[in-house]
Amino acid sequence: MDELKKEIKEVIISTLQLEDITPENIVDSEPLFGEGLGLDSIDALELGVGLKKHFGVKFSSESADNKKHFASVDALAEYIAANRAN
């Protein structure tokens, strides 16, 4: 799971072009939105596309669970591990 989390962090950084952030700067349990990493709704859309391309997972724009899945790197890792297209 640690390798998956590192990969997710790399996708976050590359997809959102976060120039001054390294995977080590992102805390697995910290919120990605608001406080924490400070992402916004536009970032969420871009990140969803990036994660879909990289991991083959889909996020429904109508799903109330998206907020839960995008809460942190830990939450994304759980979702991707359970739903990844292998």
Side-chain angles (χ1 to χ4, degrees):
M1 189 72 99
D2 285 342
E3 188 59 37
L4 175 59
K5 289 178 186 179
K6 184 174 188 288
E7 215 174 323
I8 290 168
K9 292 175 187 181
E10 289 168 353
V11 170
I12 291 169
I13 291 167
S14 65
T15 300
L16 302 179
Q17 300 173 353
L18 303 175
E19 297 172 1
D20 298 331
I21 296 180
T22 66
E24 294 75 28
N25 295 137
I26 301 173
V27 178
D28 294 349
S29 60
E30 270 192 10
L32 296 176
F33 298 89
E35 76 280 355
L37 199 53
L39 304 182
D40 61 25
S41 59
I42 301 298
D43 295 327
L45 293 172
E46 290 180 28
L47 184 55
V49 171
L51 292 168
K52 180 181 178 182
K53 283 181 186 174
H54 192 85
F55 296 105
V57 293
K58 294 179 182 168
F59 299 94
S60 169
S61 60
E62 298 169 16
S63 174
D65 290 334
N66 282 343
K67 191 172 184 175
K68 180 178 75 172
H69 300 318
F70 282 87
S72 66
V73 171
D74 284 336
L76 278 172
E78 283 182 35
Y79 179 79
I80 290 169
N83 295 284
R84 156 183 247 183
N86 287 328

